[in-house]
Amino acid sequence: MKRKDVAALALPEGVNPHAVRPYGDALDDGLVQVSFTLPVPLCPESVEAARRLGGQMGLKEPTVYHQADLGHGFSFYILYGKLQHAVDFGRIVVPRVSETHVSFDEINARVQSVLGRRIRVVGACTGSDAHTVGIDAIMNMKGYDGEYGLERYPQFDARNLGSQVPNEVLLRQIVELDADAVLVSQVVTQRDVHLDNLAELADMIEAQGIRERIVLVCGGPRITHEVALELGYDAGFGAGTRPSQVASFLADEVIRRKA
Amino acid sequence: MSRIPPAFPGRIVQRLGPLIAADDLRVVAVVGTSKNAGKTTTLNRILERGRALFGPVGLVSIGVDGEEADFWLGHAKPRIRVRPGDRFATAEGALSAATADVAIGVRTGRSSVLGELVVATVTGSGAVLLAGVRAKADLRALIDGLWSMGAGKILIDGSYQRTMAAAPDVSDGVVVATGAVLGPTVERVAERTEAFVARLRLPVMAPNDVALLARATHENLPWVAGADGPGPCLQALDTAFGTPAALSMVLPPGDSALAVPGVVTDSLIDGLVDLRGRSVRLLVSDATRVFASWDRVARFLERGGSIRVQHPIRVLAITVNPAGIVGPDLPADRLVDAIGARIGDVPVMAGQLDPDAAPNGGLRGDVG
Ligand code: B12
């Protein structure tokens, strides 16, 4: 198997799956829209500056379609232009977890009947990272995006250790609580220190001799499943993740390991 | 940007291949001191010169290796180039990214977000993507699979600065990849490389200490041996994680040994450094258990403490990537000299600035 079975994809007629381009008015015209602000007041020169920047982005026929003065010496632009690049759909591999949507009640019922006990989860925002809103969205009672967080699930015993938790403190909690699953949140800011921190935690859990017993998951706006795999995690959830997606993944994985 | 003297790469090539060809090195891990230290380039170099010496090679990575571009920085990454007869381990989903022709030989039954972990044979040359290993258990299953498919030598590519594959229960020897990405100056890179290697090469324990560690491991509790003989530490977690009160209660004055079944953290070392009138021999299974920062460990050693491992790690060679990636490039020859001056007894091998380097500052470490 060299390429993904692109024939199986339901693509519109005429689309070449090995050279997919943006669509504007006609197939393969490459038309895209970009928008940005310039720190100069609106004037004919600023519009031309915006157009030239579009050209420097590699857009063919860059055209300014909308411009507005923002006041205080700033101005805003929307450009159209033709992107010259294409992607081979057959070569893209994005790791994924099962996507069937399972509800709060279904997840709890499944854990209760198959595992027969609560799933113990420890979560934290680790290292120097203080962005707790993401892990709170997944774990807090009140949840996120109209869904309850893990603390509300009767079949999950979820503990959120909060922000800037050192790896060794998290590890100790994992051991002490005999956690089934660990949730780590990282925004991944400057110089990628957060990645080193994530990598260290994975190695620590392994060195403690408990990796096989634990479902290890990371998350944050720049995290993907691929990044997670690279760092030694079972999965990595990015922007827009809902608590039920995490709960259902944890339930599946804990059940697979322990039931 | 200075270049390596012309004679230099040749000398290196002759040394790295035969070194790894030794029969007692069945599994060799490439471990980086950082991301972008040149691990995959090192692996490719070993492969290029080593295939003739090794017999069928088996390849596996503990991260994601062979992708075209770095996920974070977008610069071009070295591909993993394979030839007919090579074996490799990966997740089934990663096979669609391969340009080589491959045939699956072993299915491990272990699943990942990229699909089942499998072992395959290469039937037509090209590049492959190695991915899917999260834990030591994955790695062990894949190594078994590679053996069962007739691999003669297994090479493990590392990920970031993770040392999981360096553990003696996984690999027989380690090649450390380091480079300019570690710091802005030659001295800083050499210093950090020295610390990384010093940790890997922690000295082996005496035979009577092995028994103490065996009991600790068996009971999954720290054990202490002082003047009054050996015994388990009842405040197990407080001791293992270095709570000062627990340490001063558990450790007798004078010389003692503390065997820890799990990891050694910053706070354990800090706790031991703070103890007065005690000299502690810390016993661990192997160096991959030690996570305390090297500054702390160095202070502990200065104050008369020691760390001993049951299973030592063999560091076979150090390769140096002069490409800075996020910072300045550094001169390869000076890096080699500075690292060699600090670590006398391990061969240090330079990279070469690759003439085909990506214009955006792609990985140019061409470790020969
Ligand atoms: C609020 C905020 C802060 C607050 C945080 C308060 C708090 N208690 O969290 C404060 C003011 C403290 C702050 C500080 C900083 N911030 Co700030 N901050 C933000 C902001 C505006 C919103 C982040 C947020 O809450 N998002 C909402 C949540 C719900 O989204 P999320 O985190 O992505 O989480 C979702 C998923 O990612 C996922 N998820 C997240 N974690 C996990 C974990 C698991 C296990 C799973 C399964 C899923 C998961 O699920 C969540 C729900 O879908 C963003 C900009 C933006 N609009 O995004 C910048 C931003 C994140 N901050 C940024 C920066 C640079 C900083 C500072 C370094 C600034 C500075 N120079 O001091 C400091 C760093 C502080 C520190 N030590 O960490 C940058 C990061 C840039 C980068 N990626 O490199 C951003 C993107 C702003 C920017 N554009 O520059 N920040």
Side-chain angles (χ1 to χ4, degrees), chain B:
Chain B
M1 235 179 302
S2 93
R3 298 217 156 227
I4 312 160
F8 203 67
R11 207 174 80 217
I12 295 158
V13 173
Q14 286 154 18
R15 287 157 82 196
L16 191 57
L19 223 144
I20 286 164
D23 285 341
D24 58 342
L25 299 173
R26 286 168 34 101
V27 181
V28 172
V30 179
V31 173
T33 55
S34 155
K35 192 170 167 56
N36 292 317
K39 293 180 282 285
T40 306
T41 304
T42 298
L43 185 91
N44 275 331
R45 282 293 169 268
I46 295 173
L47 276 180
E48 244 168 55
R49 329 276 173 177
R51 272 196 186 90
L53 302 165
F54 298 159
V57 291
L59 302 175
V60 59
S61 167
I62 67 163
V64 176
D65 261 300
E67 69 273 49
E68 284 168 64
D70 180 79
F71 183 85
W72 298 101
L73 304 172
H75 61 73
K77 301 260 299 190
R79 311 298 307 269
I80 304 261
R81 306 217 168 269
V82 290
R83 299 206 194 136
D86 289 352
R87 280 79 162 156
F88 68 100
T90 195
E92 195 172 4
L95 291 179
S96 58
T99 61
D101 295 314
V102 304
I104 294 179
V106 171
R107 296 185 162 276
T108 62
R110 303 179 71 86
S111 67
S112 80
V113 286
L114 258 178
E116 186 178 353
L117 304 187
V118 298
V119 180
T121 306
V122 178
T123 54
S125 297
V128 291
L129 183 65
L130 306 180
V133 171
R134 296 139 301 173
K136 223 186 237 184
D138 292 337
L139 195 53
R140 287 229 188 80
L142 290 170
I143 288 174
D144 286 348
L146 287 165
W147 290 138
S148 77
M149 283 178 60
K153 172 90 59 191
I154 291 176
L155 301 174
I156 310 175
D157 201 356
S159 174
Y160 291 82
Q161 58 281 14
R162 293 172 57 204
T163 54
M164 189 249 276
D169 57 351
V170 172
S171 57
D172 305 310
V174 171
V175 175
V176 172
T178 188
V181 72
L182 269 198
T185 64
V186 168
E187 260 319 292
R188 184 77 188 118
V189 172
E191 189 190 344
R192 291 189 62 191
T193 303
E194 182 188 25
F196 188 89
V197 172
R199 170 165 81 111
L200 289 182
R201 297 174 83 203
L202 283 166
V204 73
M205 63 184 64
N208 54 329
D209 283 341
V210 173
L212 189 73
L213 181 63
R215 288 166 115 162
T217 308
H218 181 71
E219 289 175 26
N220 197 21
L221 289 175
W223 270 60
V224 165
D228 306 337
C233 304
L234 295 178
Q235 296 192 23
L237 279 179
D238 281 342
T239 305
F241 285 91
T243 307
L247 287 179
S248 56
M249 197 191 78
V250 157
L251 290 165
D255 287 351
S256 62
L258 173 63
V260 205
V263 301
V264 172
T265 62
D266 281 347
S267 54
L268 176 55
I269 295 294
D270 283 348
L272 294 175
V273 166
D274 288 345
L275 288 177
R276 299 277 165 234
R278 293 168 172 86
S279 153
V280 179
R281 211 156 65 247
L282 196 53
L283 309 176
V284 290
S285 167
D286 66 74
T288 68
R289 312 292 174 112
V290 179
F291 289 86
S293 71
W294 196 254
D295 308 353
R296 288 181 158 89
V297 172
R299 203 178 322 139
F300 173 60
L301 301 180
E302 274 162 27
R303 304 247 175 125
S306 63
I307 305 182
R308 295 277 182 270
V309 300
Q310 183 178 0
H311 308 287
I313 291 172
R314 280 174 70 184
V315 177
L316 306 168
I318 299 169
T319 61
V320 181
N321 176 12
I325 311 287
V326 289
D329 292 349
L330 293 173
D333 45 357
R334 284 187 43 219
L335 281 171
V336 169
D337 289 348
I339 294 168
R342 285 168 180 270
I343 310 166
D345 54 343
V346 179
V348 185
M349 305 177 178
Q352 206 180 0
L353 291 175
D354 184 350
D356 304 332
N360 60 351
L363 186 72
R364 284 163 291 175
D366 188 14
V367 178

